[in-house]
Amino acid sequence: MDVLTPIVQTSLEITTMANFKLHLPFQPAGDQPKAIEKLKEGLEKGLRHQTLFGVTGSGKTFTVANVIAKNDKATLVLAHNKTLAAQLAQEYREFFPDNAVHYFVSYYDYYQPEAYIAHSDTYIEKEAMINAEIDRLRHAATQALLTRKDVIIVASVSAIYGLGSPAEYEKVHVKIERGAAENRAALIRKLVNIYFERTNADLNPGQLRAIGNSLEFMPVNERVIYRIVFSGDEVANIEKLDPVSRAKISEPKNVFVFPAKHFITSEEERNRAIEDIKLELEEQLAKFKREEKPLEAERLKRRTMHDIALIRTLGYTSGIENYSRHFDGRKPGEPPYTLLSYFPKNFLTVIDESHVTVPQIGGMYAGDKSRKDVLVEYGFRLPSARDNRPLRFEEFEERVGQVIYTSATPGPYEKSHSEQIVEQVIRPTGLIDPELTVRPVSDSSSLSPTVVGDNEHSKYNGQIADFIAEAEVVIKRGGRALATTLTKQMAEDLSSFLREKGMKAEYLHSDVKTIDRIDILTNFRKGKFDILVGVNLLREGLDLPEVELVGILDADKEGFLRSETSLIQTIGRAARNVLGRVILYADNMAGSLERAISETNRRRALQVAYNTKHGITPKTIKKEIHDIAASMRTEHQRTVDELLVLDTLAYKDDPKAFIKRKREEMAEVVEQLDFETAALIRDEIYKLEGTGPKARKPRTRKPLSGS
């Protein structure tokens, strides 16, 4: 058989090692040993649902890592946002350095879905900004699942959205082997057929170029270049190169190349799909005719025929995912392939911060369907577009096996479905839940001095002034402070106000890009600024042991952000530091506030009693600070940043002469066909001249209440 012919699944070389190798930086302690044993026994008994009810800072991730190692099965870890998923991925990589730990989230930095607003006759075209590095990480995740058994995938809820068929994705991979009979032109055709793009410039993931008697390409799952050297019609050598320095890393005997896209179809299947789309179009046009909707019919016909023409000639069209049912051969209403389809049978699912993640999974389908129904009704899409969708919750339940839910505040679903709830209240560090103080929002509070506490100021100027005064004390001794607000605008305004007061502060909310969020959190831990202001992102799962003070503004405003669950989670941000304190600003003792205080005090009592009995002195968690964003940036970006550090001074001495020299260097390396170096110089020039991406600007600050 020709080694470059697409290979079926059975010929793929799969790593036989199945054992997870857990790296133990410390031994389980506190409630961890008991929790690990109970969860392991539950899995062995075949329990479908278990909950790890663990307080913030009790090491739930470490407990789960021990369970994964003992369970010895491929594992999916679901988180409710990208930031938490990135942090979890980093932690699991530390626990399992010899195993395949991957990160799978939505690859959009910005996404505006296609929509139609009928009452204003406004059509909103899909607009998306794809993050190439996250796309690479997605491919690395799916390829690991198809080639290894010792796999942990940390994913956001994008795991339940449509993805190409794993069978099609796997069977068309290309194997290149040293000494095999094949010529360069044939290999180029094979790679183009699996959606690699040809270029004469610097290589990006999923691109190839021909140079002399060799072919170079960058796979979508690695930050490396493979150079295939030919001798006549034979593969003479395979070289693995560093994409920046072009230094030789190794000379592998063979390399497997997976498709550059997840959605893969053969020409035969594509032609069949086109005919199916045409039939559906005829049926829908007939329906519009019966309903006397000529405008909708014309709109649908024109758009669909345009898409068909592009699919026939290019194999692709914008919005091709809306025709996925036809390409997959699914029946109307059948669920799409998702990341879950790439997992082997009998895998383990861990749902982190389940009180948020479970409802999020449950709500995805309804919102998507509502938007698609309008597009279909007004002739923007065929009815089959509805089948490009996330999984329904019951479909998700069917596709996962044994599940462990982890949360400090389990929701109703976990509580009702779990056959075993394992409590983990005692922290290995001996840390107890933070001391709580309630203070008024304004200076005209109905709360009595006994509720306010011993630290009541002689002249109280409101929650903002009080928080600033308390934060200043914390910052002077090297600690950090968090403040939570009710809205994004309030978070931005407060951070601006704090900076005006001479304090180092930043804001964090859902409008901040994924990698920027992670950068902000890393810089916060490193002490580059002292106060972080946020909304919802500060609640669950963020590991910030340097935080000594949490200020919860407007804590009595009952609702989603000030529910019992939300308050307990926010309180937990101060639970990783022995000096941790929480100030809840409230003018009235709302029910959720009372319950959150009561539960926190219950846990404190158990923890204090345990520490007293065992003679334990609480210690602040010491955790190494990693630049999580580094793994999400391209090598190209990092190298440009390093060059800027070296060249900035030279640029400042004589900007014009420096830029001229750099442009001459760029021209020279282009002549040498060294496009990677040329691209580095180009981007360095852009940044020095200020013609690169613009920094985000904060909104205009409005006056703050209580300030």
Side-chain angles (χ1 to χ4, degrees):
M1 182 180 72
D2 188 334
V3 295
L4 295 178
T5 303
I7 306 172
V8 296
Q9 179 176 347
T10 55
S11 66
L12 194 63
E13 296 177 3
I14 299 176
T15 303
T16 55
M17 180 187 69
N19 296 325
F20 286 93
K21 297 180 179 178
L22 179 62
H23 173 70
L24 286 173
F26 39 79
Q27 292 298 318
D31 278 346
Q32 289 175 340
K34 178 180 66 177
I36 293 167
E37 191 59 31
K38 284 187 176 181
L39 291 169
K40 181 179 78 72
E41 289 176 357
L43 291 175
E44 291 171 350
K45 291 177 182 177
L47 300 185
R48 181 79 188 276
H49 302 272
Q50 298 184 86
T51 293
L52 176 59
F53 177 20
V55 300
T56 301
S58 64
K60 294 188 290 294
T61 303
F62 181 65
T63 297
V64 171
N66 278 269
V67 174
I68 290 172
K70 294 176 183 293
N71 189 52
D72 201 27
K73 293 175 182 175
T75 301
L76 169 65
V77 180
L78 278 176
H80 63 89
N81 66 51
K82 294 179 178 180
T83 307
L84 177 57
Q87 180 177 296
L88 287 169
Q90 182 62 49
E91 290 181 356
Y92 280 112
R93 287 188 186 114
E94 292 173 8
F95 293 139
F96 298 100
D98 300 320
N99 302 112
V101 179
H102 290 278
Y103 178 68
F104 187 98
V105 298
S106 168
Y107 53 31
Y108 298 117
D109 275 337
Y110 170 78
Y111 182 67
Q112 170 61 60
E114 182 183 30
Y116 179 66
I117 305 171
H119 67 84
S120 61
D121 190 27
T122 304
Y123 172 70
I124 303 171
E125 193 170 358
K126 184 180 88 171
E127 187 177 351
M129 186 181 296
I130 293 175
N131 186 308
E133 181 61 11
I134 294 179
D135 189 36
R136 184 192 70 78
L137 295 172
R138 286 166 62 92
H139 279 277
T142 53
Q143 291 176 29
L145 284 169
L146 296 175
T147 57
R148 303 182 62 153
K149 295 180 180 178
D150 59 325
V151 182
I152 299 171
I153 306 296
V154 183
S156 68
V157 291
S158 63
I160 70 168
Y161 278 82
L163 202 62
S165 163
E168 292 298 322
Y169 182 75
E170 184 176 10
K171 76 181 183 181
V172 299
H173 74 269
V174 171
K175 182 183 179 184
I176 308 170
E177 190 169 18
R178 192 193 306 162
E182 187 57 80
N183 60 46
R184 194 186 70 170
L187 179 55
I188 290 173
R189 286 194 299 272
K190 297 278 175 69
L191 294 178
V192 169
N193 285 339
I194 57 173
Y195 297 100
F196 275 74
E197 296 177 0
R198 192 164 183 175
T199 182
N200 292 320
D202 51 304
L203 289 176
N204 291 308
Q207 291 184 335
L208 63 89
R209 69 183 177 206
I211 302 175
N213 69 334
S214 65
L215 169 67
E216 295 183 349
F217 66 88
M218 183 177 287
V220 289
N221 65 317
E222 296 182 88
R223 293 195 193 100
V224 297
I225 292 174
Y226 285 95
R227 179 163 61 201
I228 315 300
V229 183
F230 292 88
S231 177
D233 290 339
E234 182 179 292
V235 178
N237 198 22
I238 303 173
E239 298 174 355
K240 188 176 182 179
L241 309 176
D242 182 279
V244 179
S245 68
R246 296 189 61 80
K248 190 185 295 182
I249 300 172
S250 64
E251 294 185 358
K253 292 182 180 179
N254 56 59
V255 59
F256 288 94
V257 189
F258 280 83
K261 298 182 184 295
H262 278 111
F263 291 91
I264 301 296
T265 55
S266 65
E267 186 176 355
E268 181 183 348
E269 289 170 331
R270 186 161 62 243
N271 291 334
R272 177 193 52 75
I274 287 172
E275 293 305 312
D276 288 347
I277 294 168
K278 285 182 176 178
L279 286 173
E280 186 186 15
L281 175 62
E282 290 176 8
E283 293 172 1
Q284 190 67 3
L285 291 177
K287 179 177 181 293
F288 281 148
K289 186 177 181 180
R290 291 193 302 272
E291 296 173 351
E292 297 182 351
K293 293 182 175 179
L295 176 63
E296 287 83 352
E298 179 59 29
R299 179 187 288 149
L300 183 65
K301 181 180 179 180
R302 185 171 63 251
R303 181 168 202 173
T304 307
M305 294 307 295
H306 174 74
D307 286 347
I308 288 173
L310 289 175
I311 293 170
R312 181 178 282 114
T313 54
L314 303 177
Y316 187 82
T317 184
S318 177
I320 193 172
E321 63 274 7
N322 290 291
Y323 304 105
S324 61
R325 170 166 63 83
H326 297 290
F327 288 97
D328 296 341
R330 290 181 283 130
K331 296 177 181 178
E334 283 190 346
Y337 295 107
T338 66
L339 177 67
L340 305 182
S341 310
Y342 287 73
F343 276 85
K345 291 182 180 179
N346 198 26
F347 65 96
L348 174 66
T349 300
V350 178
I351 301 183
D352 196 77
E353 303 293 351
S354 58
H355 62 285
V356 179
T357 310
V358 168
Q360 196 174 48
I361 294 170
M364 293 294 179
Y365 173 77
D368 184 83
K369 182 179 182 299
S370 175
R371 179 175 58 82
K372 295 283 180 55
D373 284 345
V374 177
L375 290 169
V376 171
E377 181 183 354
Y378 288 91
F380 290 94
R381 288 292 174 192
L382 289 170
S384 56
R386 296 188 181 104
D387 294 313
N388 168 43
R389 59 174 178 84
L391 296 174
R392 298 186 184 96
F393 190 76
E394 59 270 21
E395 294 168 343
F396 169 78
E397 288 181 302
E398 291 169 0
R399 282 156 178 75
V400 296
Q402 292 180 296
V403 182
I404 296 175
Y405 307 94
T406 70
S407 175
T409 51
Y413 179 88
E414 305 94 287
K415 290 178 180 177
S416 62
H417 282 72
S418 289
E419 297 144 286
Q420 177 176 232
I421 296 178
V422 179
E423 193 169 73
Q424 188 168 288
V425 176
I426 308 302
R427 299 182 175 90
T429 56
L431 283 170
I432 61 177
D433 277 30
E435 180 184 353
L436 305 182
T437 303
V438 181
R439 295 184 185 167
V441 172
S442 63
D443 57 2
S444 58
S445 172
S446 61
L447 292 180
S448 67
T450 55
V451 176
V452 174
D454 296 332
N455 296 320
E456 185 182 12
H457 301 292
S458 56
K459 184 181 179 183
Y460 193 78
N461 295 315
Q463 60 180 352
I464 303 298
D466 185 78
F467 174 76
I468 291 173
E470 293 287 354
E472 285 176 338
V473 174
V474 167
I475 294 165
K476 281 180 182 177
R477 61 173 179 246
R480 312 278 195 278
L482 295 180
T484 63
T485 64
L486 289 173
T487 67
K488 297 174 186 178
Q489 184 68 63
M490 288 172 66
E492 295 183 20
D493 291 344
L494 180 55
S495 65
S496 296
F497 183 76
L498 292 170
R499 287 195 292 270
E500 290 172 9
K501 296 291 184 182
M503 309 180 83
K504 297 177 182 177
E506 295 287 343
Y507 68 83
L508 184 68
H509 55 60
S510 58
D511 286 349
V512 180
K513 289 183 178 180
T514 305
I515 292 180
D516 290 340
R517 291 182 214 171
I518 299 165
D519 273 333
I520 290 168
L521 291 171
T522 302
N523 291 335
F524 181 56
R525 291 200 61 203
K526 289 179 177 179
K528 292 185 179 180
F529 63 96
D530 305 309
I531 302 176
L532 181 60
V533 186
V535 189
N536 200 28
L537 286 175
L538 298 184
R539 292 198 300 117
E540 299 95 359
L542 297 180
D543 194 352
L544 305 168
E546 295 78 14
V547 171
E548 294 183 14
L549 174 67
V550 174
I552 303 177
L553 306 182
D554 302 299
D556 54 354
K557 302 294 190 293
E558 284 198 294
F560 172 66
L561 293 175
R562 296 296 183 264
S563 65
E564 177 188 348
T565 296
S566 295
L567 288 169
I568 291 173
Q569 289 286 347
T570 308
I571 289 167
R573 296 312 105 211
R576 289 177 167 89
N577 194 298
V578 72
L579 300 175
R581 290 188 304 119
V582 178
I583 303 175
L584 300 113
Y585 294 97
D587 286 337
N588 302 286
M589 290 299 294
S592 56
L593 183 58
E594 286 184 332
R595 291 190 295 274
I597 292 172
S598 175
E599 173 62 16
T600 301
N601 289 337
R602 181 189 76 85
R603 297 175 182 182
R604 276 177 61 86
L606 291 172
Q607 294 156 354
V608 170
Y610 183 90
N611 288 354
T612 303
K613 181 179 178 181
H614 295 87
I616 295 172
T617 302
K619 296 179 181 178
T620 297
I621 293 173
K622 300 293 183 184
K623 196 160 188 176
E624 190 176 349
I625 301 172
H626 294 278
D627 187 359
I628 305 170
S631 65
M632 299 169 62
R633 290 195 194 91
T634 64
E635 188 69 32
H636 177 95
Q637 289 171 309
R638 288 198 294 273
T639 305
V640 170
D641 291 341
E642 290 168 4
L643 289 173
L644 285 169
V645 173
L646 298 171
D647 289 343
T648 299
L649 288 175
Y651 170 76
K652 287 180 178 177
D653 289 341
D654 192 345
K656 288 185 178 179
F658 183 84
I659 294 297
K660 184 181 178 182
R661 278 200 314 273
K662 281 291 177 180
R663 292 191 184 280
E664 289 171 351
E665 287 180 29
M666 185 169 63
E668 288 174 7
V669 295
V670 167
E671 289 179 5
Q672 299 166 12
L673 303 180
D674 187 355
F675 299 108
E676 281 83 6
T677 303
L680 289 171
I681 298 171
R682 176 201 64 198
D683 290 351
E684 185 187 8
I685 292 170
Y686 285 163
K687 289 203 174 185
L688 286 169
E689 292 182 329
T691 55
K694 296 180 180 177
R696 65 185 171 89
K697 296 180 179 178
R699 300 174 192 169
T700 304
R701 187 177 67 81
K702 296 178 180 178
L704 290 164
S705 62
S707 64

